Amino acid sequence: MFWQSLGVGSLINLAASNNQRRQLSAIQQRSLISLREALNELLANRLQGIEGNYEDESSLESKLQLAQQLENFVFPEERQAELKAMQDEYQAHRQELRRQLSERLAQRKDEFYAHHSLAARPSERGGLEPILNEEGQPQIVDSGETPELKVLRLKWEGERRRALVQEQDAKRDIFTSELRQRLLAFLKEHKERLWEAEIYALLLGMICNARLQALEIAGLQEAQLWLAELPPDAELQEEAKEGLAQLRQLDLEQSEVEGKSEAMLELLGFERELALYIFQCREELRQKDRDFQDILDLRASLKARGEEFIDFTEALPVHIVSCLDDLKISGHDL
């Protein structure tokens, strides 16, 4: 999921419409609804003169204030639409460049094999097999490709592509595993401070840097697949490398533009603020014997409740939780 959710050019998958993101957003919405219900029940009891088990009048009043403040959280849909439009425009541009490059290279490849073909010999199993050089690559001869030789070449290209994909998958698995270990070690070390601004900034930085590295890996692997299916013609290979370099540069430029856009920053800020508020409200509801000022001491409150399990959806915003979920990291791992 980490590689699928990376998205071309996007370091933070805020504008995506995948099921995972909708599910995580639904978690926050359910948290808000349950908070409203609990706080509204307090309000109803207060109006009826029922104090329940709450000993401190100021604590009750602070909860009623929280219930009213929940209405201030309105998702910035216009900003999300703005970011989505930016990503769609970029994606359309990239797809067009990719299409043009693909058509050019396909035409050049056809022209090459109109005058060249793979060197072949009879196979022990029947049919033909390519004659390989010392590097394990098919030798090329100066004669036009026959239908039989084209079938042989396409079979060879398919086998080489499958082997390369398996090799690339293994490298991505190693990268993902190492990233998971680094993030998990960081979360374990700071699990009592996940809501603090400093820890959030470090965690977001780790994720963005990792996704930037993943974006570079994805671009290089895409280039490998393209080049592996091209004939060993220096001019054709150079043209392909230049076109692929343009695509990779476009990805990096788009990531930088998105990361600095006001829409992205506002969406990040909203999710961060909402996650903090939900966490604070939960703390207030769990700690019935504290007054409103105690809610500011979040670290002490976590120690007070003595829970080992950390609910990421309470302490961290969705854009962090979604990445941790991609890497199969949950509070049970801490």
Side-chain angles (χ1 to χ4, degrees), residues 40-240:
N40 287 336
E41 182 179 355
L42 289 175
L43 178 59
N45 290 341
R46 181 74 173 100
L47 294 176
Q48 296 175 12
I50 302 175
E51 298 297 337
N53 296 324
Y54 295 92
E55 301 177 358
D56 192 339
E57 180 72 15
S58 63
S59 179
L60 176 59
E61 293 298 335
S62 68
K63 293 180 177 66
L64 303 182
Q65 184 179 7
L66 291 179
Q68 296 174 345
Q69 291 177 350
L70 280 174
E71 302 299 330
N72 295 332
F73 288 94
V74 180
F75 184 76
E77 295 183 2
E78 292 184 0
R79 286 301 200 182
Q80 186 183 43
E82 179 182 336
L83 182 60
K84 184 66 164 58
M86 180 193 305
Q87 291 182 343
D88 288 346
E89 180 180 0
Y90 152 74
Q91 185 66 19
H93 183 204
R94 189 184 197 279
Q95 288 178 349
E96 178 59 21
L97 288 180
R98 195 178 191 279
R99 183 192 65 78
Q100 294 175 4
L101 178 62
S102 178
E103 290 182 355
R104 290 200 311 272
L105 296 180
Q107 181 179 356
R108 294 287 305 278
K109 184 177 179 180
D110 289 342
E111 293 172 353
F112 179 88
Y113 284 113
H115 303 284
H116 303 82
S117 62
L118 302 189
R121 63 190 172 198
S123 170
E124 295 180 356
R125 295 171 295 180
L128 298 175
E129 64 179 11
I131 300 175
L132 307 181
N133 58 25
E134 295 180 354
E135 298 177 351
Q137 299 300 318
Q139 295 183 19
I140 303 296
V141 295
D142 295 332
S143 62
E145 193 174 61
T146 65
E148 188 177 20
L149 289 174
K150 182 175 182 179
V151 170
L152 176 65
R153 174 174 60 82
L154 293 177
K155 179 182 178 182
W156 167 261
E157 289 176 351
E159 292 174 349
R160 181 166 54 177
R161 181 181 180 86
R162 285 191 292 273
L164 183 55
V165 167
Q166 291 179 352
E167 179 183 333
Q168 291 180 346
D169 286 344
K171 291 181 179 179
R172 288 199 300 269
D173 287 343
I174 293 174
F175 176 87
T176 303
S177 176
E178 293 176 348
L179 173 60
R180 185 181 187 277
Q181 293 175 10
R182 291 197 303 271
L183 288 174
L184 191 54
F186 180 87
L187 292 169
K188 286 181 178 179
E189 181 180 358
H190 302 289
K191 64 181 181 180
E192 296 181 356
R193 302 173 55 201
L194 294 181
W195 47 84
E196 294 183 7
E198 178 185 1
I199 301 303
Y200 164 75
L202 291 173
L203 185 57
L204 182 62
M206 290 176 65
I207 289 175
C208 286
N209 288 336
R211 291 175 80 89
L212 187 61
Q213 293 173 12
L215 184 64
E216 181 67 15
I217 291 173
L220 291 174
Q221 290 188 344
E222 180 186 32
Q224 286 179 335
L225 290 173
W226 280 63
L227 295 174
E229 295 188 356
L230 294 178
D233 178 77
E235 185 177 341
L236 181 53
Q237 290 272 334
E238 186 61 29
E239 181 178 352

Side-chain angles (χ1 to χ4, degrees), residues 284-316:
E284 178 68 10
L285 291 176
R286 279 191 288 257
Q287 303 296 329
K288 299 177 181 179
D289 59 343
R290 292 186 301 149
D291 61 23
F292 182 70
Q293 293 302 320
D294 288 338
I295 197 174
L296 301 178
D297 190 1
L298 300 180
R299 180 173 181 176
S301 68
L302 180 61
K303 290 183 177 179
R305 71 181 181 180
E307 294 181 1
E308 294 184 0
F309 174 72
I310 304 297
D311 187 349
F312 291 149
T313 64
E314 288 190 5
L316 295 172

